């Protein structure tokens, strides 16, 4: 099973959970899932300019009778923290898929600090964390996370590990440490 196959199981779990809105900030790690969901007429995909738009959009969707999912990269979690208060105080479910950076094989030093801080930051906000490290576990992990989010009106995040997605490779342009 290739690393992109995680999107097939994730898509099945998303459909089973009744998700009809997928809000996202563009990210290469999410491309397989976004492409799959984009071909599904039952899911509306909304591109966000910034992660902060997600919690308010999904709270409004919930109040309007729709279930939504926010998908972003770990570097965007820092942008989200203040807006997660909408979900925490209003007891709106907030389901998130977070592609991780700053882990296995990372070559961009700017991604490491936030990537390492994501579990602690989300935990401090009361978000229940799930980890997805193997493609064959995608469906089961998302089933559990989405069931908790919508069944118990909780904030949850599935952290999609960098080893599953593959590390982005950069080439050195010279002039600095090797």
């Amino acid at each position: 099973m290739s690393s992109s196959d995680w999107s097939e199981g994730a898509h099945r779990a998303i459909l089973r959970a009744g998700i009809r809105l997928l809000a996202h900030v563009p990210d290469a790690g999410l491309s397989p899932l976004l492409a799959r969901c984009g071909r599904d007429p039952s899911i509306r995909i909304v591109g966000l300019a910034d992660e902060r738009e997600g919690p308010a959009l999904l709270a409004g969707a919930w109040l309007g009778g729709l279930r939504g999912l926010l998908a972003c990269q770990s570097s965007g979690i820092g942008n989200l923290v203040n807006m997660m208060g909408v979900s925490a105080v209003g007891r709106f479910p907030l389901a998130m898929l977070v592609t991780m950076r700053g882990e296995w094989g990372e070559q961009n030093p700017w991604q490491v600090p936030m990537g390492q801080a994501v579990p602690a930051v989300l935990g401090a906000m009361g978000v229940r964390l799930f980890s997805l490290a193997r493609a064959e576990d995608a469906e089961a992990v998302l089933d559990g996370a989405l069931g908790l989010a919508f069944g118990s009106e909780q904030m949850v995040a599935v952290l999609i590990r960098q080893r599953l997605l593959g590390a982005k490779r950069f080439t050195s342009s010279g002039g600095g440490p090797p």
Side-chain angles (χ1 to χ4, degrees):
M1 184 176 284
S2 73
S3 63
S4 64
D5 286 343
W6 70 271
S7 69
E8 185 176 344
H11 180 249
R12 283 193 300 268
I14 287 168
L15 290 176
R16 232 182 343 273
I19 304 279
R20 296 295 172 251
L21 175 65
L22 195 158
H24 73 97
V25 175
D27 173 53
L30 293 167
S31 294
L33 180 64
L34 293 174
R36 189 175 295 279
C37 290
R39 292 187 298 270
D40 188 326
S42 71
I43 300 173
R44 180 169 182 195
I45 297 182
V46 175
L48 305 175
D50 186 284
E51 294 83 0
R52 290 175 288 195
E53 298 170 344
L57 175 67
L58 297 181
W62 177 255
L63 290 171
L66 291 177
R67 291 180 175 193
L69 177 65
L70 173 60
C72 65
Q73 189 180 91
S74 59
S75 56
I77 294 299
N79 296 336
L80 264 176
V81 173
N82 202 35
M83 284 303 297
M84 286 191 315
V86 169
S87 297
V89 173
R91 292 215 21 106
F92 300 115
L94 177 60
M96 298 177 278
L97 287 181
V98 180
T99 56
M100 295 301 294
R101 294 289 306 270
E103 297 183 327
W104 175 86
E106 183 63 64
Q107 293 184 8
N108 181 345
W110 293 103
Q111 293 288 349
V112 175
M114 194 64 220
Q116 297 299 304
V118 162
V121 168
L122 291 176
M125 292 301 296
V127 177
R128 309 305 190 263
L129 300 178
F130 293 77
S131 183
L132 178 57
R134 299 176 342 140
E136 57 269 9
D137 295 336
E139 191 167 356
V141 170
L142 265 76
D143 273 339
L146 297 173
L148 178 62
F150 297 111
S152 299
E153 297 180 350
Q154 299 289 311
M155 294 187 294
V156 303
V158 175
L159 307 182
I160 305 173
R161 298 299 178 178
Q162 193 165 5
R163 185 143 190 185
L164 172 63
L165 299 172
K168 293 180 181 176
R169 300 289 176 215
F170 299 91
T171 57
S172 174
S173 60

